Amino acid sequence: EAVNSRNRAEVEHLEVFADQSGFIESVTQCLQEADKLELWRPVGIYDLGMLIGFAMYGYFPEPAPGQVWLDRLLIDRRFQGRGYGRAALAALLERLEREYHKKRIYLSVVEANRPAAALYESFGFRFTGERDTHGERVMCLRTR
């Protein structure tokens, strides 16, 4: 569900475990970034009406031919270890394919975040050998 004035405060209270804090920006930081750059699409992840996580994605037309990025994905610490990350990633990938119809989806991951990298690899993401502007390792999924 899109983050808006109705759910923003609740979404901003999502948290990861302390040892995961270096793997992703806070939700507040993500939303501030989305406020500045309208290409980002921040969404709350819900299970039967209960907020359990957050993601942010977007399409960047430059450099040509443009790229779709799944830039942020987090499951609140209270809900981790229950399969929500896998379910959320599957739903997000389906949404990205439906919205953008692109052959590739990109993301980046902090090198030390092996659990996230393993999850992404299980969906077919592969490391490209590139790093993003923050030094994170870039991964790409070919959807077709």
Side-chain angles (χ1 to χ4, degrees), residues 19-89:
D19 63 340
Q20 298 169 325
S21 64
F23 296 157
I24 189 169
E25 295 85 347
S26 73
V27 175
T28 299
Q29 289 170 311
C30 295
L31 293 175
Q32 288 170 348
E33 188 176 333
D35 290 341
K36 292 176 189 172
L37 188 61
E38 292 183 12
L39 297 172
W40 287 126
R41 303 285 179 254
V43 293
I45 300 168
Y46 291 83
D47 181 23
L48 300 174
M50 182 173 47
L51 179 67
I52 56 103
F54 170 79
M56 193 163 81
Y57 63 88
Y59 173 71
F60 292 83
E62 296 295 329
Q67 296 178 338
V68 174
W69 278 81
L70 173 54
D71 196 64
R72 314 280 162 69
L73 172 59
L74 73 83
I75 302 300
D76 186 86
R77 63 185 181 164
R78 296 169 296 158
F79 301 103
Q80 290 184 20
R82 300 183 190 182
Y84 283 121
R86 180 168 292 285
L89 182 56

Side-chain angles (χ1 to χ4, degrees), residues 52 54 65 72 85 92 99-101 107 114 119 126 129:
I52 56 103
F54 170 79
R72 314 280 162 69
L92 285 161
E99 281 186 32
Y100 299 110
H101 309 288
L107 58 79
R114 285 301 312 148
L119 173 64
R126 297 294 175 252

